[in-house]
């Protein structure tokens, strides 16, 4: 009935990555490794991660008419992502400047470029893509008004998954559409407008009070916490123990896997447990999209 298990509406960036012994303090210069360039962006990462797992995924995004845009389109198509919704031109492709330290932690600065030109009109013009999708997923590297248009115009019965990253306060109608809202601790604090208790359980309850139908809080190596507003269930989901090489894009792989499995009908805790294994696999290799596992690789863990 649906052409796509997952439609991702979001960013596509060229990731310019440098390995460093430690990230510089303000005013400081450090030397790093050779520069490497990879396809990235939270939207493109999600659509590719889902496709690698076996989902039929599509990407609605905007890239520049330039070499970075072609790099992104090529990587999406090679993974089997439907790119009919990728618009080209209007500004240079988005860029992410990424430093990765020996512990695998990263710092990222994004120049949105063409991502900032993905408009509410572009969403309204893509009605056929939305009508063909079982689940729609978005992040915040595109304008908030564009994400708001997605939430407002979703066809009935289509599930909406939002990872508000980088975080911003969210309008009520966006919050009400989320099923789930997927946040880490930092994103939870921004959406809540401050802290709300000491534990992830407290944050989840406070977030649910803002309107989402469900909430998933990612806890890094500690896994995730899921909270379903319909059933009142709050549960912890563990993550496998792994040696982290590079955490870049692991959250995107988690959210893509979660969205895909929810669309297949899994319960929130079951889908999050699978997503935690996908995210754990993604941190064991360098880069974002290059690190994403196939379904066989996830089951082998
Ligand atoms: O979440 C990781 C992504 O964030 C990177 O691929 C980079 O492009 C930034 O958008």
């Amino acid at each position: 009935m649906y052409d796509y298990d997952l439609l991702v509406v979001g960013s596509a960036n060229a990731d310019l990555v440098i390995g460093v012994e430690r990230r510089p303090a303000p005013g400081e210069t450090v030397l790093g490794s050779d520069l490497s360039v990879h396809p990235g962006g939270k939207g493109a990462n999600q659509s590719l991660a889902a496709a690698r797992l076996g989902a039929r995924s599509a990407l609605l995004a905007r890239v520049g008419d330039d070499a970075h845009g072609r790099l992104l389109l090529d990587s999406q198509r090679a993974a089997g992502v439907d790119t009919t919704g990728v618009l080209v031109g209007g500004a240079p492709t988005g860029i992410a400047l990424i430093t990765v330290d020996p512990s695998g932690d990263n710092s990222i600065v994004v120049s949105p470029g063409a991502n900032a030109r993905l408009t509410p009109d572009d969403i309204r013009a893509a009605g056929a893509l939305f009508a063909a999708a079982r689940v729609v997923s978005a992040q915040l590297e595109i304008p908030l008004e564009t994400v708001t248009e997605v939430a407002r115009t979703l066809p009935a019965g289509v599930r909406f998954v939002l990872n508000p990253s980088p975080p911003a306060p969210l309008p009520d109608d966006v919050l009400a559409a989320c099923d789930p809202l997927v946040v880490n601790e930092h994103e939870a604090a921004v959406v809540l407008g401050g802290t709300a208790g000491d534990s992830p359980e407290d944050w989840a309850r406070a977030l649910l009070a803002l309107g989402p139908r469900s909430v998933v809080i990612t806890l890094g190596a500690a896994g995730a916490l899921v909270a379903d507003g319909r059933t009142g269930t709050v549960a912890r989901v563990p993550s496998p123990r792994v040696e982290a090489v590079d955490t870049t894009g692991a959250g995107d792989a988690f959210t893509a896997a979660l969205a895909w499995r929810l669309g297949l009908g899994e319960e929130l805790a079951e889908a999050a447990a699978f997503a935690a294994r996908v995210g754990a696999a993604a941190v064991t290799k360098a880069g974002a999209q290059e690190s994403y596992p196939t379904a066989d690789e996830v089951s082998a863990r």
Side-chain angles (χ1 to χ4, degrees), residues 23-280:
R23 283 168 280 160
E28 190 187 15
T29 301
V30 299
L31 294 178
S33 68
D34 286 349
L35 176 77
S36 55
V37 181
H38 306 273
K42 297 181 194 306
N45 289 350
Q46 283 196 15
S47 54
L48 189 137
R52 187 145 308 147
L53 290 167
R56 295 165 305 159
S57 74
L59 177 64
L60 174 49
R62 184 177 285 278
V63 297
D65 185 6
D66 51 30
H68 288 152
R70 288 185 283 283
L71 171 76
L72 282 149
L73 281 166
D74 288 349
S75 71
Q76 293 288 306
R77 288 173 182 151
V81 178
D82 186 319
T83 58
T84 50
V86 179
L87 306 164
V88 178
T93 299
I95 300 272
L97 301 179
I98 303 179
T99 52
V100 181
D101 73 16
S103 76
D105 276 342
N106 61 58
S107 298
I108 305 180
V109 178
V110 172
S111 167
N115 297 306
R117 275 73 165 185
L118 189 72
T119 64
D121 276 347
D122 295 329
I123 301 305
R124 286 187 282 272
L129 276 179
F130 285 93
R134 195 189 285 268
V135 180
V136 171
S137 166
Q139 324 76 36
L140 295 188
E141 286 184 338
I142 57 174
L144 182 56
E145 58 175 358
T146 304
V147 173
T148 303
E149 185 64 22
V150 172
R152 284 188 185 146
T153 59
L154 273 185
V158 176
R159 192 162 186 156
F160 182 56
V161 176
L162 176 66
N163 172 220
S165 179
L170 298 171
D172 288 348
D173 47 0
V174 172
L175 283 162
C178 294
D179 191 14
L181 176 73
V182 183
V183 288
N184 62 22
E185 175 180 357
H186 171 60
E187 291 153 4
V190 174
V191 172
L192 288 166
T195 49
D198 292 332
S199 72
E201 283 79 1
D202 292 334
W203 313 332
R205 277 187 275 272
L207 287 166
L208 278 177
L210 297 181
R213 290 171 223 182
S214 56
V215 168
V216 174
I217 299 183
T218 56
L219 302 169
L225 178 139
V226 301
D228 194 326
R230 285 161 293 228
T231 59
T233 318
V234 178
R236 294 263 185 160
V237 171
S239 173
R241 250 176 220 284
V242 290
E243 195 69 36
V245 171
D246 182 355
T247 58
T248 308
D252 307 328
F254 175 97
T255 304
L258 177 79
W260 174 48
R261 299 296 274 235
L262 288 173
L264 297 184
E266 287 187 357
E267 293 299 323
L268 195 56
E270 191 185 359
F274 177 79
R277 288 161 59 207
V278 172

